[in-house]
Structures are given as structure tokens and as C-alpha cells.
Amino acid sequence: MVSWILKKILGSKNQRELRRLAPIVRRINEFDEQFKSLSDDDLRAKTAAWKEEISKIPELQDQWKKLDEILPEAFAVVKNAARRLKERQHSFTVCDQPMVWDMVHFDVQLLGGVVLHRGRIAEMATGEGKTLVATLPLYLNALTGRGAHLVTVNDYLARRDAEWMGLLYDFLGLTVGCIQHDQEPDVRREQYAMDITYGTNSEFGFDYLRDNGMATTREQQVQRGYHYAIVDEVDSILIDEARTPLIISGPATISTHQYDKWKPLIEQLVRKQNMLCNRVASEAIEKFEHGDVETGGRLMFKVKLGQPRNKQLLRMMEDPDKRRAIDKAELSFYQDTRKEELFQLKEEMFFTIDEKSNEADLSEQGRTFLNPDDPNAFVLPDLINEFTEIDLDPTLPDEEKDKKKSERQQYCDAQAERIHNISQLLKAYCLFEKDVQYVLEDNKVVIVDEFTGRKMPGRRWSDGLHQAVEAKEGVQIDRETQTLATITIQNYFRLYQKLAGMTGTAETEAAEFHDIYKLDVNMIPTNRPVRRTDNNDRIYKTRREKYNAVIKEIREAHVKGQPVLVGTVSVEASELLSRMLKRDKIPHNVLNAKFHMQEAEIVARAGQPGTVTISTNMAGRGTDIKLGSGVTEQGGLMVVGTERHEARRIDRQGDPGASRFYVSFEDDLMRNFGAADRMTKIMERFGLEEGQELEHRWLNKSVETAQKRVEQRNYLIRKRTLDFDDVMNMQREVVYTYRNEVIDSEEPRKLIFEVIDEAVPGKVKEYLDVDEPNYTGLVHWVNTTFPLGLTKEKAQFETRSVDENAQFLVEKIKDAYERKSAYEEPTAVKSLERYIILNAIDRLWQEHLYAMDALREGVYLRGYAQKDPLIEYKTEAYDMFVELMANIKNEVLNNLFRSTSNLQAFENFLATLPQFLLREHAPSAPTAGAESRIRQPVGAMAGVVAGDGDGAGEGVSIDLPIRRSLPKVGRNEPCPCGSGKKYKNCCGRVA
């Protein structure tokens, strides 16, 4: 009560904030009046003067203070320029369409600009000109010369806004660029070099990954820093798309899937399950008819476990008595005392499906059907016990033990692959529907974003799920992919030193924006009062009744010439409505993932009299609906929602006019997050008949409660994703910083010597800093890694301490490396040294990503041992990262004398090796006439094989280079020796 009274007197936090900004708006308008007398050149000169002044300030923080000082004046310059363009009726083309500039900033838009400059989110209603608002802070922040980015939801909007607002920037003397999907790196670099750059979130993110994870020279990198960004439709990009990480992937080296092999059996299994569920449902109907409600409810719960979208089940859920019986059965089976009965019930099906968690699980009956001859076909062997038994068997020689272990490992891998393939196929058949989660295009499966309804070409579900869906649809099954570089949308945008956003719908997610991005939300008032009426929801028992009511409403509005925008949540629903409208001969446009190209044009035309447009809830975001003449008199735009979305924000988008949502108990939101039970009782109480609807603002609250539950669940998923990705993010930053240091280094040899200084002492300690020093092992490691030709006698490791031995080897290695470098092409040495380090980083980082993926998937099982998976993940991830950095250094050492810029120079170096190895002071560089002394090249690469110290060190034995007679074997290919292991784990370890 007290807080309510204080809010009435003092206003809300948002109102107080806006009151504080009001004096700034007044000053902007005062400057605008003063600038009316300036010529165009004088107005333009202010931009150049500010840029020059700010460029002399070295620190970014000090530059920002200067921007705050000049804000009113700079905003006034932009507003004045917009007025001049409007007064001159300036015509230009945007996306090949002729346009006339007709916009000048309102006071509320100036307010929005100030909020954006301060690094906050401006919530502005649809049609309030967010595109124009962004010009103010973009102009101001571009004056630093560090680049300002504007992020949109698709390529069309990026291009449209860059060309549209580019007129204003150009008038003021700033350059503007636009990133598009198919641009070459050279073009991208030019666009990023502009003062202001427009583009989509995925393009910015993928450029970051390519720059930091794949580029090998500064010239290949396109971006130039992350200083200031405005995210348009900020809720769509930072929340709805945040759960999907950006991944650059390449084909895996080998593919072992068996989806095409198991597909016919899984198809039969799904068919058998459908027949079983239909039979059980028929039995349940008989039981209900004979008054045995309890048994009927139990049988229908069984159907729900095996086929939650069964048509008979959905029809029964419309009947309040039957729904209550099913819910009662479900509640009773989930009690602890009836766990065994629930297990028995599940075993009566072939498999069970959990719609909420997207999981499918085979029962014993299903496993027997798929593999009747092998009862252990779905049991993974206990390798630890089996390996222990093999090790303890005294009758087996070591070779036989290794062979048996290898066989068991192969068997286990095959079992795991089979179980995984079948599980993914079951998910593909039972949980992933065509035209809902994906569409088929050019013989490929293209994912449809569940929130935006947009196709996402190039993206693939991970873990073999995409291949399972490809097998189901009978299209070409592409090879499995391997992650090369990855980052979540959340972590990409957290790179920016100042981030702002704008949208029509951010208030409901304000807490998440603050928690994850440290962004506060300010609601900007509209320039004129909103003329949209949000009517109460109409609630029906069935989808059939709901859709009939929607068609009736559309027909009535169409007849009187009122434009109608119909929102659906899936491609399937939009196509169903389209068929119903065709039957009624009502002309309409359909906008969903299948018609992505015409998206903005269809939405822009949606305000013409009598137009009917069917759209997925977020298609066309960023495009305003311009109402045609006479439409306002007919009541403006009628917005009809055919289903409540999982997020309240998405339901709130719309234009002047009226809106109404139609809801049924069969909608996914109502079925899964259950406001349905309460409403069923209300319907019973009123005794509603077929086709009758419920409508009351209390019911709206009930639907909103269901939405809040889903929002909370989705927020927790995103937060959890972020907690896990934060671990990877810290590792990514270390690796990418090191990588960029290598690329930018003028003297990469210093980095090579740093690796030698750090890695060699570590190896020496590994061999010598133990109870029984292994001198022979150290000599062997040195000679297989570097061309030093050491023997135990020559090295005399016993006569020195561990640190002295490390110093001795470091000097020898550096001396040998200097000698090798002297024979290389002088111009290519630096590039070669960079390549040696970058190659080690990239190869091992990719393997590390793969290992981290596996850790992340498996770590959830630790929860069963009462351990927090996140803490376990952090601990193991740290250990793996320490190992990664050590491995990178060892890989650099291994490649140091195995890489060359020029084969001839390398052979020259090898030819001098015998002299170098036999005498302490060899020639330091090639001299005149060196060519005539070149003998058969000598291979230090295999190492100089030293004697074991028993008098074998009199001479030095040199191996001649080995010529390959067979094709090269890839690291991940099966070893040609026939062991069954991968080459890198078998003979490749010693090669």
C-alpha cells in the first residue's frame, strides 16, 4: 500500500528517469533553432571538427566523457539535417524502391536517442520510428572513429536501414557500411572500416569467429573492435536466439552413422506403437461408456505416455470428465509408492515420449522388436571390469592383452553408436514434425526457428539429430560435422564495451536483460496516444472450434474493408488457415519460413483496405505496417492471434487498431503448462456447448500465468547455457588472445623461444625430477624431437642439476633452430614461425572443443551422485584446459624442425647436420660454394638415434629420410596395421 502511494506521488522509476532527461531534450531543441541559420557546409563542418578533436583523446573513457558533453549539440545537428532533407523533399532509392525523405525527430525520439547513447534498452511502441532514433546515438558514437554497429534480425533490414538512414549520415559527412551474407572478406573489411556498420547478429558473430579462430594473418581479419552497438529488436536477438550458439563447423574426418540401416525398423516400430495406442484408446472409450472412469483414465494416460499427440487422446481431453480422469491417473502414477507400477505401464508400450524434455526412451518390448536375437544389444559393456580381468589374466601375453582390450573397446563403441542412432531416429519420428520444426528445401532439411518462424539455412542440429531427420525424410544424409569455432550470442554481445538495444517489447524480460547483459530498460512514451484496443482472449474447447471462429472474424472484417493481420505460432498453422481461407474464397498473403524473401514487402502492404495477411508471430519484425487510406475509419488494423505464444512479449507486437487472441485447450502452451485444468472447471460450471467460447479478463490472467511459467523455464535454460558457456568463454578468450598475439607479432621468433623456455624445463622435470631419473628416456625424447644427436655420454645429464640440464637443452635447441633458420628463405621465416604456432593452436583447440562437448553432455549424469554438474564441469574443464595449453607447446616443439619454407633450403640444412653433430662449432650459415657440397639429404626429422650409453656414442648414426610408398594415412583414419584403433592412437603416436 505504501509503495503504491509513493508511486502515485513520485512516479515510477521509469517516469523519474525520463523526467531527469527532459532538460537534455530542451537543450537539443534550442541548439536545433540556432543551427537553422547555418549553411549545409557549416553544419557538415561540425562533424569533421568533432572527429578531429576526439581523435586526439587517447583513452576510450575520456572520449565517452567528451561525447556526453557534446550530446545536445550533436543530436541537434542530426535533427537539423533531417529537417533540411524533408523540406527539400529529397528523393532517393532504398532496395531499388524510390523514396522521399519525410522524417524529422520528435521529442520522444530524442529521448530514446539519449537512452540508447547511455547503454540502455529503449522500449518504444511499434511505429514510433526506432530506425530513425538509432541515427542519433550512432552518429554521436561514430565520432570516436572506432566504429559503431547496428544489429538487425535479417539481411534485408540491414540493407534497407543502411541505405535509408545512409542518406542522413552521408549528408553529415559520415560513411556507412552494410554486412551481407555472401560478401567476400575484402568487401567485409571495407564495410567494417566505415564509421557506421549495419548487419545481422549472426554475420557479426561469425566474422568474430573467423577472425579469431581461423584467420592466419592480420589481412584476413575483417573486424576492428567492439566499442558500441545498438541491437534492433533486442529481445528477439538477445533472448529468443540466445539459446542457440553460433557454430562454424567442418565435416568430420570419418562418419560411422547407421541411420539409413535402422530407419526401416524404426518406421515399423513407430507404426506398431501408433496401432497399439489406437487400440488402447478404443478400449478406454468402451470403459468410459460403461462408466468405468478410473480404468478409462488409466488407459488414456498410457496412450499419453506413448503418443502425446494421439488424435483420440486430444479429442478426449476436450471432455472435462475424461480430462479429469486422465489427469487423476497421471498424478497417482507419479507418486513414489507407485513407481514400479509406472515402470510396468511404460514397459507395455514399445517406447515412451516425454514431450516437455524432448526425450524418447525404448522399452524392453521395443528393444526386443529391434534386436530379437541379442538380449544385450542395448547394454553397454563395463569396460573397467573387463580391462581389469584381462590385466589380471596371467596366461595372456602383453600383445594379446592389448588386442583383447582393443576388441572390447571397438565392441563398446559400436554398441554406443547403435543406441545413439536409434534414440535420435525415435526423436526425429516422434518429436520433430515437418513444416513445424523444419522444412524441406532443395532436397535438404532446413531448420525453422521456433520463435521467429524463419528458416535458418546452414544451421544443423548437433549430435546426429539432423542426420536422423534427413534419414526420416529420405533426403541425402550429410556427413557429421565437427565444431571448428563456437560462441553464444550472449557472449558475443558481452564483448562490446557499450551495448544498447531497442524494441517494442522488452519490459517483461527486464530482469533477464539486467542479470545477463547489465542492461536497464527505459519505456519511452509514444508521440501520440496509442489507438489500439486489446480485447479479451476468446477460449474454446477444441482447435476446430477455435479456427472456425477465427475464419468468421476474418470474413466479417474483410467484407467491411478492414485489413487483418493473423498471427500463428508455426508454419503448419499458417498453412492450415490458408487452406480454410481458400475454401471460403478470401484472398490473402501467407508469410512464413517458406516465403522469407518477400517478408518485408508483404508486411508493409498488410495495412491496405481489405488485405488479409497470415504471418508467423515474428516474421516481418522491423517492418512497419503503413495503414492505407480509409482504414482508420474502419477501425484500423485488426490483429488476430490464433494461439498464445510461449513468451508474452511476442503477443504484444502490433499496430493501431484492435487485437484479439483465440485460445483452445489443445494448444501446446495450454497442454504442457497447464492453465487448462482450471479453465476446464469453469467451462463445466457454465455448461458450455459446441462452438461456444469463454471471454473474461480473469481468463487472460490464467493464460498469462502459463506464459510466465514457460518464460521462467526458458530463462533458466538460457541462464544455465550461459553458466556453462562462461567456462568456455574464459578459455576462448585466452586462446584467441594468444592467437591474435601470434598474428600481430612482428617477431614471432620471440614467441617460439618463449615456448622453448617454458616447455623444455617442464619435460626435463617430467623425466628427471622423480625418485628414479630416466636419463635414457630424456635422451630419446630430445633426439626424436630435435636434431641434436645427443648420447648419454655427450649430454652428461648426471653431472648437472635439473634446472642446469633444462638450461643446457634450451641453449642447444635455440642454437640448432638459429642454424636451421639461417638456411630458410629470409622473407618467409616469420610467416613459417607464425604458421607453426597457429597450426598447433587450431588443431588442438578443435579437438578440445570436441572433448568439451562430450564432457558437457555427460556431466549431467553426475547429478545422480548428488554432485552439482556445473561445479564438476568447471573443475574438469580447467584440468583439460591446462592440458591443452601444455599440448600446444609440445606440438610447437614437435613441428619446429619438421616445417620449412623451402624444401631445397631444408635439404641444405640437413646436409650440414653431420658436421654440426660431429663438431661442436659447425658453419653458422651457408657459404659460397655450399651448393657443391650438398650431399644426400639427411633426416633429422625421425630424430638422430643415439646409442644407449654402453659405448655406443663413438660415432653418430644418421637416418636417411623415409620415402612414403603408400598413400598418407589421416590422423583419425583406421590404422593400417589392423589393430582397429585410430592411426593417431596407434602407429601414429610413434610416427
Side-chain angles (χ1 to χ4, degrees), residues 9-245:
I9 298 167
L10 302 173
S12 65
K13 182 188 174 189
N14 188 66
Q15 288 166 335
R16 294 196 299 276
E17 188 66 40
L18 296 180
R19 277 203 295 271
R20 276 197 289 273
L21 298 178
I24 299 174
V25 174
R26 283 197 294 275
R27 286 191 64 206
I28 294 168
N29 288 324
E30 286 165 12
F31 277 117
D32 179 35
E33 284 298 319
Q34 292 174 27
F35 294 158
K36 284 181 181 176
S37 59
L38 295 178
S39 67
D40 287 359
D41 289 339
D42 290 343
L43 195 68
R44 215 171 280 126
K46 286 190 170 292
T47 304
W50 280 326
K51 281 186 85 170
E52 189 179 346
E53 187 183 350
I54 292 167
S55 67
K56 292 173 182 171
I57 302 171
E59 293 299 320
L60 183 63
Q61 297 296 331
D62 295 332
Q63 287 185 340
W64 282 350
K65 284 176 187 170
K66 181 64 183 173
L67 294 184
D68 291 339
E69 287 173 26
I70 64 169
L71 183 146
E73 213 175 332
F75 277 24
V77 166
V78 180
K79 181 174 180 178
N80 200 274
R83 180 183 286 106
R84 292 177 190 216
L85 290 171
K86 184 180 179 184
E87 287 168 355
R88 294 166 195 175
Q89 291 285 298
H90 196 98
S91 59
F92 59 111
T93 57
V94 174
C95 295
D96 306 320
Q97 299 294 318
M99 282 191 79
V100 175
W101 187 274
D102 62 346
M103 297 180 293
V104 183
H105 304 78
F106 296 123
D107 284 1
V108 288
Q109 290 175 314
L110 299 176
L111 208 56
V114 177
V115 167
L116 291 175
H117 168 69
R118 293 189 172 183
R120 297 179 191 167
I121 290 172
E123 177 173 319
M124 303 180 74
T126 306
E128 287 295 300
K130 291 186 281 291
T131 310
L132 184 65
V133 171
T135 58
L136 300 161
L138 284 175
Y139 169 80
L140 181 59
N141 284 273
L143 296 175
T144 61
R146 296 173 185 262
H149 297 165
L150 189 128
V151 187
T152 66
V153 288
N154 63 36
D155 271 352
Y156 169 80
L157 289 177
R159 183 183 159 206
R160 185 203 72 177
D161 291 356
E163 292 181 10
W164 191 10
M165 298 300 124
L167 179 72
L168 188 56
Y169 302 129
D170 191 49
F171 182 85
L172 290 167
L174 289 183
T175 54
V176 62
C178 176
I179 306 295
Q180 295 283 287
H181 176 63
D182 48 3
Q183 283 173 344
E184 293 297 317
D186 291 344
V187 180
R188 284 174 184 268
R189 196 175 305 105
E190 286 171 17
Q191 304 305 313
Y192 280 115
M194 303 288 187
D195 294 314
I196 295 163
T197 307
Y198 283 76
T200 64
N201 58 314
S202 54
E203 290 304 320
F204 282 120
F206 284 133
D207 281 338
Y208 166 77
L209 290 175
R210 280 188 286 263
D211 277 6
N212 291 278
M214 302 174 84
T216 54
T217 62
R218 171 54 66 200
E219 290 69 40
Q220 289 174 359
Q221 296 182 321
V222 296
Q223 292 185 335
R224 61 184 183 115
Y226 313 95
H227 300 289
Y228 179 69
I230 297 176
V231 182
D232 192 9
E233 305 300 349
V234 67
D235 54 321
S236 168
I237 290 172
L238 295 192
I239 289 184
D240 301 333
E241 296 193 22
R243 280 184 290 173
T244 312

